Amino acid sequence: MTIFLRNRRAGAAATATALALASLAALAGTATPASASGRVTTAGPATTATALAPEPAAAPKPASPAASASPAPGDPAVPSALTLPRPTGPYATGRDTLFLTDHERTDPWVPAAGARRLLVSLHYPARPGSSGDPAPYMPEAEARLMLAQRGLDDPEWPGLVAATRTSSRTDARPAPGRFPLVLLSPGFGTPRATLTGLAEELASRGYVVATADHPYESTGTELPDGRVLTCAACDEVDAQPDEAGRRKVLAAVSAGRAADFSFLLDRLTGPRPAWRHARTIDARRVGMAGHSIGGNAAASTMAADRRVDAGVTMDGTFFDPVAARGLDGRPFLMLGTDPGHAPGAGDTSWDEGWARLDGFKRWLTVRDSGHFTFTDTPAIGEQLGIVDPDAPLSAARSTAITRAYVTAFFDRSLRGRPARLLDGPTPAHPEVLFQRP
């Protein structure tokens, strides 16, 4: 894709791979924006933090040089603040952050780092008028690494992206009741905050949402002690001699995330839960969605863990194929770009996966969309003046479509509610195509 910057000085076109990791631009794609912080809880003895190993090498090199010039002082093209679209459900939203350590597993990408660790944002339905500070979007160090990887080196942007305004509050009081749990997994090379807008929407509609950062699989993951882990898994992909090798590594990423989420489910729903509001989770109703490799991870997790009742991939290639036996009749939604993820298009893993899915299933593609349509990228990029002529769908439409179809799918699958939106095309969303291969 080609990215242009609106209202910038001459020569201010960003690069063709500006919002994707160069190593995966043609193979898998990734995403943008980044990770949250806020109230961070390091769980008790079963999930304590361990000593941190030294960083693997330096931060990843930029995908390609950005041509954009720094804005002049007072340039009206530079926004004073970035915001995410407000959630539309009846609940206020709260957010906590957990730092967990799985002492049963060694980190697969940097064994010297010791046990596998996860940073998890938990968005949840909250009581109206709850106190607490607005939850921050992400640490600035993560924003800087993420933007540099994508060739976007405007010195003002890391601070702007990090300070993006969210709608959730730390220390918010949970709403009464128990709610279904949705797990979210971001794209490869991408911090978890990329999915904040979707997490807030689901929380406002009565879901607890756990979004995980998988260390060494993102351009930057800032730990509670201030260290920033960079993308060793990206280096492993880059080191492969051919596409087959890269696909093998990416399949391992997806399968590894399945183990991450099974561990996370244990720590959220087991007898000694790590989260202070775990009582709000209804462990009998669990769904999972992900973007890019995170969507593959949704299918991998369902194959490995029967506790996950429904799954969604948002434009994710099935590097780890859908299980040959299917998913034991559990529902699955494939939501992707058009024509890139239409039947018979370039990604044959969708055709193969569709044939193996054995429960309620839908294959939807979205006209004028791009790989990042289903994340926060359109909303943040549009405010920064970033334009992708290959994905002209507006931020407003990108947000509305993603929220509507993902929520409808989980309402149907986890709550048994009617979801007419999934029955066929609707005038309200003319960009959405129902594929029936």
Side-chain angles (χ1 to χ4, degrees), residues 58 80 89 124 131 134 138 171 178 219-220 264 273 285 331 352 361 392 437:
S80 59
Y124 56 92
S131 59
M138 63 186 295
D171 294 317
R178 301 181 71 199
T219 51
L264 178 57
R285 298 182 289 171
E352 296 162 0
K361 57 185 179 180

Side-chain angles (χ1 to χ4, degrees), residues 40-42 52 99 119 222-227:
V40 179
T41 301
T42 301
L52 304 179
F99 179 50
L119 270 167
E222 184 173 294
L223 301 181
D225 68 357
R227 291 199 186 190

Side-chain angles (χ1 to χ4, degrees), residues 1-3 6 337-338 366-373 378 382 386-395 398:
M1 66 184 174
T2 303
I3 307 294
R6 290 193 184 101
T337 55
D338 190 87
V366 183
R367 291 192 189 100
D368 296 331
S369 62
H371 187 57
F372 312 117
T373 287
E382 199 169 273
I386 298 176
V387 185
D388 178 5
D390 294 327
L393 193 68
S394 70
S398 298

Side-chain angles (χ1 to χ4, degrees), residues 253-348:
V253 170
S254 185
R257 290 189 180 193
D260 288 344
F261 279 107
S262 287
F263 164 71
L264 178 57
L265 276 173
D266 291 343
R267 299 303 294 128
L268 291 178
T269 65
R272 297 178 61 195
W275 184 39
R276 58 180 177 154
H277 300 313
R279 66 185 182 279
T280 64
I281 295 174
D282 182 351
R284 300 167 300 173
R285 298 182 289 171
V286 179
M288 181 170 173
H291 172 246
S292 195
I293 198 72
N296 190 179
S300 297
T301 304
M302 291 180 71
D305 198 322
R306 280 287 299 148
R307 291 176 292 180
V308 182
D309 302 303
V312 179
T313 180
M314 297 179 288
D315 216 48
T317 294
F318 293 108
F319 296 106
D320 182 26
V322 175
R325 70 177 188 279
L327 296 175
D328 302 315
R330 286 168 289 171
F332 202 88
L333 169 65
M334 302 191 330
L335 178 63
T337 55
D338 190 87
H341 273 121
D347 189 351
T348 59

